[in-house]
Amino acid sequence: MDVDDVSQKPHDQLGQWLAPDMERVNALIRERMASEHAPRIPEVTAHLVEAGGKRLRPMLVLAAARMCGYDGPFHVHLAATVEFIHTATLLHDDVVDESAQRRGRPTANLLWDNKSSVLVGDYLFARSFQLMVEPARMDVLDVLCNASATIAEGEVLQLTAAQDLSTTEGIYLQVVRGKTAALFAAAAEVGGMIADASPDQVAGLRDYGDALGIAFQIVDDLLDYGGVADTIGKNVGDDFRERKLTLPVIKAVAKADAEERAFWDRTIAQGDQQDGDLERAQGIMARHGAMEAARADALAWADRAKTALDPLPPHDLRDMLTALADFVVARIR
């Protein structure tokens, strides 16, 4: 297959290189999301799974395994596992956030109801645990179980930190590591582990996923204040309306004068938002260089991701993962 077309986006190149494996992953996902007794389960799951998405997390598993020379069957099971975990968290997140749109489509909780979204998410978590034990690797199981717990912990931490203007960049990083980077890191790590890669290589893959996930989330937070709804899959300003203390806001709050602090207290802490407040928030962030500072952080994390791949052997897939880190942050350069 031709993967040398530099005009392709890195995740498209990855998808093309990994196409046979991804076909097996998709077939396994369809098989395991079926339910003989509750037809709503595949209905809800299919709505989200088939909505598109880049499938970055399962591709990280497959790419790491193949890059490290794996030729067995279980990287497919692990790739399906991380996609089920990810899909379950999306279903739960949309209920918690009361979201109405996901990847440019109505959310499952809007089309069905909150109860269905929560319970189907629970079902997918259970299915993910069934899949992750099939390789019979306790070390891999340990990583994925810890990642699942870390994701839940990050979501709860975000609840307690939300609307709290004393939230620091350190707490923000903990939240991001939980809700986003943990699964990126685990996906890359278990791909190396199933291939019996060296400890240095496994650690490099884990660090790559961690840094890529952090950069990915910072970019997502930036695009919420400066993206286009059709391209980011949600409405611009959703984070502001949901009163989320994302990185650019945290940086702006840290430099706020008394009048700006009162604005953030009214709009974020108290939730009293009025027409024009989003534009004013964007202006305050621009005045203090908060967007530029957050952009610099995202670029630094992308650089860390690329450096983390140094222990890995030369491979087309390694080049694609390096390009992926650049692409993640290219949208906010």
Side-chain angles (χ1 to χ4, degrees), residues 178-240:
K179 74 173 194 173
T180 302
L183 196 53
F184 276 85
E189 183 177 7
V190 298
M193 292 171 72
I194 199 68
D196 293 319
S198 71
D200 284 349
Q201 291 174 341
V202 170
L205 288 165
R206 179 184 63 245
D207 292 345
Y208 170 84
D210 176 67
L212 183 73
I214 293 170
F216 185 92
Q217 187 60 55
I218 294 174
V219 169
D220 190 62
D221 293 345
L222 283 165
L223 289 174
D224 189 76
Y225 286 95
V228 178
D230 289 345
T231 60
I232 63 177
K234 61 180 182 178
N235 298 311
V236 174
D238 274 353
D239 287 350
F240 179 75

Side-chain angles (χ1 to χ4, degrees), residues 126-179:
R127 281 300 202 193
S128 75
F129 281 94
Q130 289 176 326
L131 278 165
M132 74 175 71
V133 301
E134 291 182 23
R137 287 281 299 260
M138 285 299 297
D139 53 348
V140 169
L141 182 62
D142 184 56
V143 168
L144 291 171
C145 287
N146 285 337
S148 299
T150 300
I151 292 167
E153 186 178 38
E155 294 290 353
V156 175
L157 177 59
Q158 180 172 256
L159 281 180
T160 60
Q163 296 100 49
D164 183 352
L165 295 183
S166 66
T167 295
T168 64
E169 291 189 28
I171 294 174
Y172 168 84
L173 191 59
Q174 282 182 271
V175 170
V176 169
R177 274 211 158 99
K179 74 173 194 173

Side-chain angles (χ1 to χ4, degrees), residues 92-101 107 109-110 114 242:
H92 288 168
D93 288 352
D94 287 341
V95 172
V96 172
D97 295 338
E98 299 179 348
S99 300
Q101 190 177 50
T107 54
N109 53 299
L110 188 67
N114 286 343
E242 293 168 11

Side-chain angles (χ1 to χ4, degrees), residues 7 12 25 38-39 54 70 83 90 116 119 124 136 138 176 222 235 241 245 254-255 260 279 286 293 301 304 312:
S7 66
D12 292 332
V25 171
K54 299 178 180 64
Y70 185 68
E83 187 65 11
L90 294 185
S116 294
L119 293 174
L124 294 182
M138 285 299 297
V176 169
L222 283 165
N235 298 311
R241 285 182 284 270
L245 274 165
K255 294 184 176 181
E260 292 166 347
E279 291 74 17
W301 281 108
R304 288 178 65 167
L312 277 298

